[in-house]
Amino acid sequence: MAKRPTKFIFVTGGVLSGLGKGITAASIGNLLKARKLKVNIQKCDPYLNVDAGTLNPREHGECFVTKDGAETDLDLGHYERFLDEELSSSSSLMSGRVLLKVIQDERAGKYEGDDVQIIPHLTGAIQDYIINAGKGYDVHIVEIGGTVGDYESLSFVEAIRELGMRVGQENCIYVHVVYLPFLGASQEIKTKPAQNSVRELRSLGVTPDILVGRSERQANENVKRKLSLFSGVEPSAIALLPNAPSIYEVPLTLEDTKIADVICKKLGVKASKPKLKDWRDVVKRATSKHKKKITVGVVAKYMDNTDTYMSVFEALQSAAWWSDADIKIRWIEAEGLEKKKDISKIINGVDGILVPGGFGTRGLEGKIKAAQYALQKKVPYLGLCLGLQMGVIAAARLNGLTKASSTELDSKTPDPVIDTMADQRGKENTGGTMRLGDYPCNIDKQSLTAKLYKANKITERHRHRYECNNNYRDLYESWGIKAVGTSPDGRLVEIIEGLNHPFFVASQFHPEFRSRPNRPHPMFKGFIESCKRANG
Ligand code: GLN
């Protein structure tokens, strides 16, 4: 029997950015997976960076890490959470990566004397990446970053136009997500910017098959009719998507518009009846009031953009929902703790402290202080990557090594309890050179962490350059901490726990990347449970 071809869904955005195009793409994926289709999803970003590892997290948000160690855009986090799939590096494509490939191929003589051009060479290379990522799947969803008409994303739009011819128009559809502004003066939703955006897309040779109209409030059928008339997209292929109280509601709202059935029909795929029970459970938990209310202090460096800690935030929230608790996150500026003699006034009232990952020196002393506070006052503590490193320093300093530090913070410290990994020296400012992605870890059977995981062999995702210095490991128990998780060869510390502490758990890896709204991560669940107990 001939293999069925992969079907492609291209998602573009119009009018303005920040429309929730990523959530829309992820929600379409969710609905197709619920119909038993094998779905992959990919983000194409117009940045000239080769990957997201070198992007500023303040401006761009969290750097999400895949199991195979790709440093990607935070949208991949949404994709993984909405699809409940582990994606790979092929799900993230930045302009820089394709350009680098084309130029390297040119230098290697692969073009055999051709003039190397944007069309067809760059657009062809983009298509190759997309086709490869889609191999073996029923449906491959491709989100194009930016807004249609941006100079920057032109080659991606051209590539998906050409791809339609390459794989056959019957094997792909174009979904355009547009914004429908509400005009207060006339109390109506306007469609003109959306009409213009469709025209813009058409002028680039792409005819949308589906429109998703995003608006702040619910738009009515009249809006749909008008949009249909001016865009040429039939009303049944237009989904109106008002703001939702929780992003997790979006798949269900979309399901109600019946757009997923229209998509399946247009693509000619055989889909089963959607199974959305699990997802309805997630939404119910995400949107209902819970018995308890807990407050978690997140000691962070970037305060003005919570996108920077997106997966941590989502992991905390889902763990709380599943523990029947409402969670309030108090962002505590790490730098603000540094000069304070007594930080209890700032930290007072939180049921638990979380120190997330981070790079650079700013705020590190504040994070160490927060970890010391947690150790001394027996406040539940969850440390993620940098949060483990600060936890070790805190324990060392409380137990006599007052100048203990990490060489990331103080290269001349007499007690480098955290130091660069041998193979990482000299690469501090280079992209893609850290210890990245999945690594196995063995956990002490007796430890709290093993009980939380209900396992003693795990695999988790990493992104770090520094590690626990083995010269100090013998002292850990005298500092009141224990390395309960290590790499299988025992060389690298992966997890520490506080001794005689209700919950002091920190990992060198990032458990937040593997947490799911329908399956919160065990470390987060354990942390939230201990916060609930601390709350009384
Ligand atoms: N900066 C630290 C390191 O490189 C921690 C990294 C992180 O928290 N992801 O090891």
Side-chain angles (χ1 to χ4, degrees), residues 356-360 384-387 389 408 434 463-467 508 510:
F359 292 85
L384 310 174
C385 201
L386 183 72
Q389 300 172 356
E408 183 175 22
M434 277 182 266
R463 183 179 185 237
H464 65 116
R465 222 183 283 286
Y466 295 82
E467 61 164 327
Q508 190 57 80
H510 289 272

Side-chain angles (χ1 to χ4, degrees), residues 4 24 44 90 95 102 116 162 189 217 225 282 305 357 388 417 426 483 518:
R4 274 176 307 174
T24 307
C44 293
S90 68
S95 288
V102 170
V116 182
E162 291 172 19
I189 286 180
R217 34 179 105 182
R225 234 172 289 131
V282 168
N305 183 358
L388 172 139
V417 294
N518 51 334

Side-chain angles (χ1 to χ4, degrees), residues 122-137:
L122 180 65
T123 52
I126 295 172
Q127 291 168 44
D128 293 344
Y129 276 107
I130 294 177
I131 287 176
N132 276 334
K135 273 198 182 125
Y137 291 90

Side-chain angles (χ1 to χ4, degrees), residues 272-486:
S272 320
K273 253 177 90 75
K275 276 213 169 70
L276 286 163
K277 193 191 160 300
D278 272 11
W279 201 259
R280 288 192 201 283
D281 273 0
V282 168
V283 173
K284 203 164 148 212
R285 286 176 193 271
T287 53
S288 49
K289 266 223 135 336
H290 299 279
K291 274 210 192 95
K292 255 209 142 63
K293 189 174 175 91
I294 55 166
T295 305
V296 169
V298 176
V299 184
K301 173 169 160 188
Y302 301 109
M303 302 300 294
D304 45 1
N305 183 358
T306 48
D307 276 7
T308 313
Y309 307 102
M310 180 69 82
S311 296
V312 175
F313 179 71
E314 296 296 340
L316 278 173
Q317 279 203 321
S318 42
W321 300 332
W322 287 87
S323 294
D324 202 9
D326 285 329
I327 184 169
K328 185 170 171 264
I329 293 177
R330 196 198 294 170
W331 298 98
I332 299 171
E333 189 168 17
E335 240 181 334
L337 299 177
E338 283 177 4
K339 281 168 214 88
K340 290 264 179 310
K341 255 213 142 64
D342 176 14
I343 62 168
S344 61
K345 275 204 190 70
I346 304 180
I347 295 197
N348 208 4
V350 301
D351 302 309
I353 295 172
L354 186 149
V355 175
F359 292 85
T361 57
R362 190 162 69 80
L364 288 197
E365 286 296 344
K367 292 180 182 181
I368 296 168
K369 270 191 164 175
Q372 286 177 321
Y373 181 91
L375 280 168
Q376 287 178 308
K377 306 265 184 207
K378 311 266 186 229
V379 179
Y381 178 90
L382 183 63
L384 310 174
C385 201
L386 183 72
L388 172 139
Q389 300 172 356
M390 299 303 106
V392 172
I393 298 171
R397 287 192 187 174
L398 286 175
N399 291 282
L401 299 191
T402 52
K403 292 203 167 69
S405 196
S406 156
T407 46
E408 183 175 22
L409 174 63
D410 173 8
S411 58
K412 298 204 173 64
T413 171
D415 288 306
V417 294
I418 305 295
D419 198 4
T420 343
M421 286 184 259
D423 57 349
Q424 294 290 333
R425 299 220 166 97
K427 296 182 186 166
E428 282 76 359
N429 295 315
T430 335
T433 53
M434 277 182 266
R435 182 169 180 248
L436 288 164
D438 269 359
Y439 284 93
C441 161
N442 292 353
I443 318 178
D444 240 343
K445 280 199 180 113
Q446 305 310 322
S447 66
L448 169 62
T449 314
K451 287 191 188 94
L452 294 174
Y453 272 96
K454 298 191 180 75
N456 63 340
K457 283 188 193 321
I458 56 158
T459 297
E460 291 279 2
R461 297 188 206 168
H462 297 68
R463 183 179 185 237
H464 65 116
R465 222 183 283 286
Y466 295 82
E467 61 164 327
C468 292
N469 184 341
N470 285 335
N471 297 338
Y472 291 86
R473 246 160 82 182
D474 287 347
L475 297 172
Y476 279 18
E477 297 205 19
S478 70
W479 299 345
I481 56 171
K482 191 171 175 194
V484 298
T486 63

